[in-house]
């Protein structure tokens, strides 16, 4: 839709807004309103017209064809393909779709035209032979446009709409094709509701819609002037008072000047509308159109099938950015690169625990903290898109990555130590740590550290009162052989090292698990020792022999004191 003049709103525009405020409460008192959208509306993508005209460099013919194919692939059944009277590229694109038979049988194309005779005639020339087409005619009805732009009376503006509607009907009878009509009182939100209704009903009287050929009345938020409930009240007023209502599809076309395009749409649907015109990712004039990705995924998050396939969001984003030259903001709902990413330690811990809850509980509904939907439902993955590590992260996120990506199930206190280690490196380098970097940090910090203490050789002997061991160890180039006993192999080796070097610590934590499920699988052991000052030191060892792995873990913990 064309924009309105900028600057301060005049008194008439403010009057238009406030005149419907009293109706807002009625939406919730008359018993008819729902609290959420419970079914998908009829969707119409206007990316190739409204979105395209807002680009710094409009799409080429080839780009428009590629974008059209994407829209068809993900499920749009109505697609506004352009303003064919506006330029040669627009005209040629429409003819390409028709002549190359690129329009599927279940898809209806839509074309836009001003309510001006020569433009309407040019539009019908362009759309001739289309299997099914919506011809969308509009003229502006707002106080500001009537007074400042067209300098016409209400009667003159109404006549423009009626004459345009009559010409559509005449040319449709004379042109090859299957046509449906749509009318927009452009700048609807700046138009007195009673006058907007008068104009729309006059257009409907011309078209005489039937059950087999319904008319579309589109109510655009050409410019957002008010809070969403005001728009919803205007929509409800129109729905309740339009003629031929059973044969009229009430459509919404919200822009996003106040950042409320999605809210306008949701409230408008609750108020009785049937259809939404919008764009992928909200591209459009000024701050954009309503974002159909956000709107549809909001429905999906509430268990409602949006009837548009967003399961491969990365591919949709890729084609969109390639064709439009626009970039999707990292925080755009559902589609942005960072919208599922959790850097905060507390968030990561809650997500990790929520994921484990799902694994153990086989839950029917998605309830993971901080994630409104399952990221895999839109083609994202947990490893790369959800838990991400920087200086704000903590034990939960680091532990989750090591467990899910590398099979390491660290003891809780060791997760804390590893979290601090990762946080320190990220803070020092001022960068995010990727999973492979975290794994490398774990190995260099906690696995098989052999300086300054190392063990060269160990022998065990079973005695009646326990295990006796003979340990050959090295400390800063000096080798020593020590014998000691213990209530198990690891305890015996620990006692030998304490004896050899007068070490003081308590063996506090021991945990082990297999790393691979095979006959030749390696095992990993984790050892935590309590130092005299009360703090813990940690080590890990990996070997096919679990005893060797546990000894390596102990030595690493000692070296990390």
């Amino acid at each position: 839709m064309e924009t309105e003049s900028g600057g301060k709103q005049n008194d008439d525009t403010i009057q238009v807004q406030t005149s419907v405020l009293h109706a807002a409460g009625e939406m919730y008192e008359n018993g008819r309103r729902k609290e959420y959208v419970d079914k998908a509306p009829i969707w119409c993508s206007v990316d190739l017209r409204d979105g395209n005209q807002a680009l710094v460099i409009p799409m080429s013919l080839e780009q428009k064809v590629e974008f059209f194919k994407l829209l068809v692939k993900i499920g749009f059944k109505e697609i506004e393909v352009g303003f064919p009277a506006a330029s040669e590229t627009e005209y040629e694109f429409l003819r390409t779709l028709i002549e190359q038979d690129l329009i599927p049988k279940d898809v209806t194309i839509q074309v836009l035209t001003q309510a001006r005779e020569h433009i309407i005639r040019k539009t019908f020339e362009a759309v001739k032979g289309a299997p099914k087409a919506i011809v969308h005619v509009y003229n502006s009805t707002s106080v500001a446009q009537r007074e400042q732009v067209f300098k016409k009376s209400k009667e003159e503006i109404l006549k423009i709409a009626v004459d345009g509607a009559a010409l559509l009907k005449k040319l449709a009878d004379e042109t090859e094709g299957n046509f449906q009509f749509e009318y927009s009182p452009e700048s609807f939100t700046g138009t007195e509701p009673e006058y907007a209704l008068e104009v729309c009903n006059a257009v409907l009287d011309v078209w005489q819609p039937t059950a087999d050929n319904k008319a579309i009345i589109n109510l655009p938020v050409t410019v957002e002037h008010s809070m969403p409930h005001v728009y919803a009240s205007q929509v409800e007023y129109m729905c309740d008072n339009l003629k031929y209502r059973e044969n009229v599809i009430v459509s919404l076309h919200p822009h996003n000047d106040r950042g409320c395009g999605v809210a306008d749409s949701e409230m408008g649907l609750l108020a009785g509308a049937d259809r939404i015109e919008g764009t992928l990712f909200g591209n459009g004039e000024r701050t954009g159109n309503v974002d159909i990705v956000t709107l549809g995924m909001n429905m999906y998050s509430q268990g409602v099938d949006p009837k548009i396939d967003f399961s491969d969001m990365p591919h949709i984003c890729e084609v969109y950015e390639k064709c439009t030259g626009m970039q999707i903001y990292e925080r755009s709902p559902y589609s942005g690169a960072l919208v599922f990413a959790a850097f905060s330690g507390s968030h990561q811990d809650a997500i990790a625990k929520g994921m484990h809850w799902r694994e153990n509980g086989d839950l029917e509904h998605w309830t993971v903290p901080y994630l409104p939907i399952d990221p895999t439902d839109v083609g994202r993955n947990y490893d790369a898109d959800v838990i991400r590590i920087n200086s704000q992260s903590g034990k939960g996120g680091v532990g989750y990555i090591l467990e899910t990506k590398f099979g390491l199930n660290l003891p809780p206190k060791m997760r804390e130590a590893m979290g601090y280690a990762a946080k320190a490196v990220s803070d020092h380098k001022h960068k995010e740590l990727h999973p492979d970097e975290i794994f490398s940090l774990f190995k260099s910090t906690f696995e098989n550290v052999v300086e300054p203490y190392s063990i060269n050789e160990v022998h065990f002997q079973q005695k009646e009162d326990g295990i006796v061991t003979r340990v050959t160890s090295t400390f800063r180039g000096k080798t020593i052989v020590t014998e000691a006993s213990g209530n198990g192999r690891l305890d015996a080796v620990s006692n030998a090292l304490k004896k050899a070097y007068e070490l003081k610590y308590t063996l506090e934590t021991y945990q082990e698990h297999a790393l691979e499920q095979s006959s030749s699988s390696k095992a990993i052991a984790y050892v935590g020792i309590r130092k005299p000052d009360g703090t813990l030191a940690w080590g890990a060892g990996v070997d096919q022999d679990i005893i060797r792995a546990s000894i390596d873990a102990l030595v690493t913990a000692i070296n990390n004191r």
Side-chain angles (χ1 to χ4, degrees):
M1 294 295 131
E2 295 178 346
T3 62
E4 289 197 23
S5 302
K8 294 182 178 179
Q9 300 171 22
N10 61 30
D11 290 340
D12 289 332
T13 303
I14 294 172
Q15 228 174 11
V16 169
Q17 296 173 27
T18 56
S19 69
V20 295
L21 278 169
H22 72 279
E26 296 174 6
M27 292 175 61
Y28 302 95
E29 294 173 358
N30 60 19
R32 292 184 297 136
R33 289 295 156 250
K34 300 170 184 174
E35 294 183 356
Y36 62 93
V37 179
D38 62 359
K39 66 177 181 178
I42 301 166
W43 298 109
C44 179
S45 162
V46 295
D47 288 271
L48 296 169
R49 197 277 304 170
D50 207 340
N52 186 58
Q53 75 183 39
L55 297 176
V56 176
I57 302 175
M59 285 181 269
S60 67
L61 175 62
E62 293 74 20
Q63 288 170 328
K64 292 193 80 170
V65 170
E66 182 176 1
F67 205 112
F68 178 81
K69 289 179 178 178
L70 172 69
L71 295 171
V72 169
K73 179 180 178 181
I74 64 178
F76 280 97
K77 301 304 179 186
E78 294 184 2
I79 302 172
E80 189 168 79
V81 296
F83 198 140
S87 73
E88 188 59 35
T89 300
E90 296 282 284
Y91 187 95
E92 185 183 355
F93 172 59
L94 178 53
R95 294 312 308 164
T96 298
L97 293 178
I98 295 171
E99 292 168 7
Q100 295 186 13
D101 197 23
L102 297 176
I103 308 169
K105 289 182 171 52
D106 62 344
V107 171
T108 301
I109 60 168
Q110 179 171 305
V111 290
L112 184 70
T113 177
Q114 292 174 330
R116 300 169 65 184
E117 182 175 353
H118 71 286
I119 295 178
I120 293 173
R121 289 187 180 277
K122 181 74 171 180
T123 300
F124 271 93
E125 288 177 21
V127 81
K128 180 181 178 181
K132 287 186 292 184
I134 297 168
V135 181
H136 179 186
V137 63
Y138 74 95
N139 68 305
S140 191
T141 58
S142 70
V143 177
Q145 293 265 19
R146 295 197 313 261
E147 292 180 348
Q148 301 171 34
V149 180
F150 298 107
K151 304 187 186 307
K152 292 184 182 294
S153 66
K154 286 183 175 180
E155 292 74 20
E156 291 172 309
I157 294 294
L158 185 146
K159 185 176 186 304
I160 291 172
V162 169
D163 288 350
L167 185 56
L168 252 66
K169 188 172 183 181
K170 176 178 181 296
L171 294 178
D173 291 338
E174 300 171 357
T175 305
E176 176 192 351
N178 181 15
F179 302 107
Q180 186 177 9
F181 302 141
E182 176 177 350
Y183 173 71
S184 287
E186 195 211 355
S187 307
F188 166 74
T189 48
T191 304
E192 307 91 328
E194 297 81 3
Y195 178 61
L197 178 68
E198 180 185 355
V199 174
C200 289
N201 278 336
V203 168
L204 291 171
D205 281 337
V206 173
W207 287 341
Q208 296 286 315
T210 65
D212 293 330
N213 191 15
K214 294 184 177 183
I216 301 170
I217 293 296
N218 189 51
L219 306 175
V221 186
T222 308
V223 178
E224 281 191 313
H225 294 304
S226 60
M227 293 174 67
H229 72 282
V230 176
Y231 178 56
S233 297
Q234 294 169 321
V235 171
E236 183 173 43
Y237 172 77
M238 296 293 285
C239 287
D240 288 347
N241 293 284
L242 279 171
K243 291 184 177 180
Y244 318 98
R245 179 64 181 95
E246 68 278 8
N247 298 326
V248 173
I249 296 167
V250 175
S251 177
L252 310 179
H253 183 114
H255 280 253
N256 200 43
D257 301 87
R258 290 168 52 97
C260 298
V262 169
D264 284 338
S265 300
E266 292 178 331
M267 291 287 286
L269 289 172
L270 293 180
D274 312 296
R275 182 177 184 265
I276 295 288
E277 293 187 349
T279 61
L280 296 181
F281 312 112
N283 178 42
E285 298 283 8
R286 304 179 309 280
T287 55
N289 288 55
V290 63
D291 180 352
I292 287 182
V293 172
T294 299
L295 192 54
M297 289 304 302
N298 280 356
M299 297 177 192
Y300 181 82
S301 72
Q302 300 299 309
V304 177
D305 182 359
K307 305 298 183 181
I308 301 292
D309 183 4
F310 295 121
S311 62
D312 192 355
M313 193 72 75
H315 175 69
I316 297 171
C317 295
E318 179 185 357
V319 174
Y320 169 83
E321 292 186 337
K322 173 186 172 185
C323 291
T324 65
M326 301 284 284
Q327 289 186 326
I328 296 168
Y329 175 48
E330 290 91 338
R331 300 294 180 187
S332 291
Y334 304 105
S335 58
L338 296 177
V339 296
F340 298 112
F343 291 101
S344 162
S346 61
H347 289 207
Q348 292 175 345
D349 186 59
I351 290 171
K353 289 173 179 174
M355 297 298 290
H356 283 305
W357 178 273
R358 287 192 61 78
E359 291 170 8
N360 298 329
D362 191 27
L363 302 179
E364 180 182 356
H365 299 103
W366 179 263
T367 58
V368 175
Y370 298 111
L371 296 178
I373 65 166
D374 185 344
T376 62
D377 288 350
V378 290
R380 307 291 287 276
N381 66 75
Y382 303 128
D383 292 341
D385 297 311
V386 179
I387 304 294
R388 295 174 61 169
I389 306 302
N390 64 13
S391 61
Q392 305 301 306
S393 306
K395 61 181 181 180
V398 172
Y400 181 79
I401 286 176
L402 289 174
E403 180 180 359
T404 58
K405 194 166 181 66
F406 302 104
L408 306 182
N409 187 12
L410 278 60
K413 289 293 184 180
M414 191 178 189
R415 287 191 177 205
E416 187 174 324
M418 181 59 201
Y420 281 120
K423 183 191 295 279
V425 172
S426 177
D427 194 27
H428 177 70
K429 293 185 176 182
H430 299 288
K431 68 184 289 286
E432 177 186 357
L433 298 184
H434 298 291
D436 287 343
E437 293 176 291
I438 295 166
F439 185 54
S440 294
L441 178 62
F442 172 80
K443 291 176 74 69
S444 63
T445 306
F446 294 108
E447 187 181 312
N448 297 343
V449 177
V450 295
E451 293 290 343
Y453 298 95
S454 63
I455 290 182
N456 305 10
E457 193 175 342
V458 178
H459 296 281
F460 296 105
Q461 187 177 4
Q462 181 73 50
K463 299 282 187 175
E464 289 185 2
D465 56 349
I467 298 292
V468 175
T469 186
R470 187 171 182 268
V471 177
T472 303
S473 61
T474 300
F475 175 68
R476 292 178 179 170
K478 183 179 179 180
T479 300
I480 184 172
V481 178
T482 312
E483 290 190 0
S485 62
N487 57 17
R489 287 176 169 80
L490 184 61
D491 185 52
V493 173
S494 176
N495 290 336
L497 292 174
K498 288 180 181 179
K499 179 179 177 181
Y501 302 108
E502 298 182 354
L503 300 175
K504 297 186 182 303
Y505 64 82
T506 303
L507 187 58
E508 183 157 309
T509 301
Y510 175 78
Q511 187 174 305
E512 65 181 60
H513 63 79
L515 284 178
E516 303 171 5
Q517 298 298 323
S518 68
S519 58
S520 61
S521 65
K522 291 184 177 181
I524 186 168
Y526 310 99
V527 169
I529 60 174
R530 178 79 61 181
K531 298 183 286 185
D533 64 1
T535 59
L536 286 166
W538 290 95
V542 177
D543 199 275
Q544 288 183 337
D545 181 353
I546 189 58
I547 300 301
R548 183 69 212 186
S550 62
I551 293 172
D552 289 344
L554 172 64
V555 173
T556 297
I558 292 171
N559 286 325
N560 280 338
R561 287 182 309 150

